[in-house]
Amino acid sequence: KLTASQNPVVLCDVLTDRVGQTETLQMLVDLLKVPSCNSHMGKSLLNESQPWYIGDYNGAESNKTVQAYVQQTDCFLHVGDYYNEINSGHWSLYDKIQPESIVLLNPEYIKVGNQMFENVSFEDILPTVLQKLSSVDSLPTYNIPKTVFQIEEIPSNTPISQTRMLETLQSFIQPNDVIVTETCSLMFGLPDIRLPNNTKVIGQHYYLSIGMALPCSFGVSVALAEMKQTDSRLILIEGDGAAQMTIQELSNYNRANVVKPLIILLNNNGYTVERIIKGPERDYNDIRPDWKWTQILQTFGVSDAKTAKVSTPQELDNALKQIGNDTTVPRLIEVTLDKLDVPWRFHKMVGN
């Protein structure tokens, strides 16, 4: 199917990573120079700096130019597929794609068009496919579509918006960075960022467990230190409501043998994700206000922390330049946002 197709697309999903086949798939994609995408839960798995990487794909919740191209593919190779509500663009992942063109590579089955092969894992199949294609004398050449990496502007009532934050992060993120994202509104803007090579995104995209990212980031910091990946910057994107649920984990960052994080704290006065889904004025979406976030690390005994509070795009840019790269100490940048400001994709998800 791959060699016979005119316009194939490879979609790398999260289970590719879980069974250790990301490197194999990257080699396959690079060999064929085939148009490729990461899924919502597979963000950062394939190298997004390659010219044949056309953008993230998540059905109707995708970049419009990426969606238009994928929907006319004649071979849709979905590797490590994990089909669920959030990871399928609310069940729109295969819309307008001909069923006979879809190839699913799963740890428990392979499906080629309408043919199902049970009890076989793609961790056995994918290396064999790569080996066979590597011995082919003349591989097909595919046209790579020109897709537009543009972050759709959403107006905000504050000087800085999440759209502007995403644009700033696009410039700030470097190769080898590890980004731990809270189940917050900004999580749903990250697919619009094109990440440099060897960047890793970790988040709770499936269960959407609010409050997981802060303790998760400490686990990541320990792992990076043990793996001696001291050139990796750890960036935690954290909501103020979620942070209040697991805030005590900040005290662990005064330990010696951990990678020190940059915490970008979204101060939008509560659970903005919940406000947008249902209840913009419901008081149960409020949190205890007026926490002194720039003093919180010192409160938990992290005496060498560096902090800043910003309310404009320029202030955010300056803060990132001044303290963002100092990996010798924990850093926290508090960003003042409007309580109903979210990326465009989140509005689309909830039908606004």
Side-chain angles (χ1 to χ4, degrees):
K1 270 188 172 294
L2 269 173
T3 54
S5 66
Q6 298 299 309
N7 51 339
V9 174
V10 173
L11 177 65
C12 180
D13 212 337
V14 64
L15 295 184
T16 308
D17 180 63
R18 299 299 185 266
V19 300
Q21 289 299 309
T22 303
E23 184 177 352
T24 304
L25 182 59
Q26 186 69 64
M27 293 171 64
L28 177 67
V29 166
D30 291 346
L31 175 68
L32 291 173
K33 298 178 174 57
V34 59
S36 54
C37 307
N38 286 320
S39 71
H40 187 54
M41 291 182 68
K43 179 66 176 170
S44 77
L45 293 184
L46 288 181
N47 182 359
E48 300 184 11
S49 66
Q50 293 284 44
W52 37 89
Y53 185 82
I54 63 173
D56 292 19
Y57 178 68
N58 195 35
E61 293 162 16
S62 308
N63 173 297
K64 292 180 177 61
T65 56
V66 175
Q67 180 186 5
Y69 179 79
V70 171
Q71 288 183 341
Q72 50 87 49
T73 181
D74 60 353
C75 180
F76 185 69
L77 188 64
H78 188 177
V79 184
D81 69 291
Y82 192 46
Y83 196 74
N84 59 67
E85 182 182 24
I86 298 297
N87 201 41
S88 66
H90 287 79
W91 319 117
S92 63
L93 196 72
Y94 305 130
D95 284 2
K96 299 183 180 179
I97 301 175
Q98 295 300 317
E100 61 270 19
S101 300
I102 299 172
V103 178
L104 304 180
L105 301 185
N106 188 274
E108 298 179 357
Y109 61 84
I110 309 294
K111 187 176 182 183
V112 184
N114 296 316
Q115 258 190 307
M116 176 68 84
F117 302 89
E118 302 275 6
N119 302 315
V120 59
S121 172
F122 76 97
E123 59 187 312
D124 300 316
I125 300 298
L126 197 64
T128 304
V129 173
L130 174 62
Q131 183 182 23
K132 287 183 178 294
L133 286 172
S134 298
S135 63
V136 174
D137 292 332
S138 180
L139 291 170
T141 301
Y142 304 114
N143 292 322
I144 309 300
K146 294 187 181 300
T147 51
V148 179
F149 280 82
Q150 183 176 355
I151 303 172
E152 187 174 326
E153 178 68 49
I154 297 293
S156 175
N157 293 321
T158 52
I160 188 168
S161 66
Q162 293 200 27
T163 306
R164 296 294 181 207
M165 280 193 66
L166 289 165
E167 291 171 350
T168 302
L169 287 172
Q170 174 74 84
S171 303
F172 178 72
I173 296 170
Q174 299 175 356
N176 302 317
D177 284 350
V178 180
I179 303 163
V180 179
T181 176
E182 185 55 78
T183 305
C184 61
S185 45
L186 200 69
M187 170 193 277
F188 300 98
L190 289 179
D192 291 323
I193 292 179
R194 188 164 190 160
L195 296 171
N197 191 27
N198 288 328
T199 307
K200 180 78 171 177
V201 173
I202 299 172
Q204 247 294 358
H205 299 72
Y206 180 44
Y207 288 108
L208 302 175
S209 303
I210 297 173
M212 62 75 59
L214 180 49
C216 173
S217 70
F218 174 64
V220 171
S221 76
V222 172
L224 289 173
E226 289 184 353
M227 295 165 68
K228 302 191 184 310
Q229 290 183 217
T230 52
D231 60 336
S232 295
R233 299 184 307 177
L234 171 56
I235 302 170
L236 168 61
I237 299 172
E238 182 69 28
D240 56 349
Q244 289 197 8
M245 299 180 70
T246 49
I247 194 67
Q248 72 277 6
E249 289 296 335
L250 285 180
S251 64
N252 277 310
Y253 283 117
N254 65 358
R255 296 176 184 266
N257 297 318
V258 298
V259 171
K260 309 299 184 180
L262 167 64
I263 303 168
I264 300 176
L265 192 285
L266 314 180
N267 186 340
N268 45 23
N269 293 305
Y271 297 103
T272 291
V273 164
E274 303 294 343
R275 295 188 201 279
I276 298 299
I277 294 173
K278 187 175 182 180
E281 304 302 330
R282 301 285 178 84
D283 58 10
Y284 56 68
N285 288 325
D286 298 335
I287 60 173
R288 302 315 303 153
D290 303 325
W291 276 33
K292 308 305 180 190
W293 290 105
T294 56
Q295 301 172 31
I296 202 79
L297 281 161
Q298 286 84 353
T299 300
F300 281 101
V302 189
S303 58
D304 58 351
K306 294 182 178 181
T307 63
K309 183 174 182 177
V310 302
S311 57
T312 69
Q314 188 59 54
E315 288 175 354
L316 175 60
D317 189 55
N318 291 341
L320 289 171
K321 289 176 181 176
Q322 290 167 8
I323 68 173
N325 294 314
D326 186 1
T327 56
T328 62
V329 297
R331 292 90 68 212
L332 184 147
I333 299 175
E334 176 187 356
V335 186
T336 304
L337 296 164
D338 182 74
K339 69 178 185 178
L340 295 179
D341 173 36
V342 298
W344 71 268
R345 184 175 288 100
F346 201 76
H347 282 295
K348 186 174 183 63
M349 285 172 55
V350 299
N352 288 351

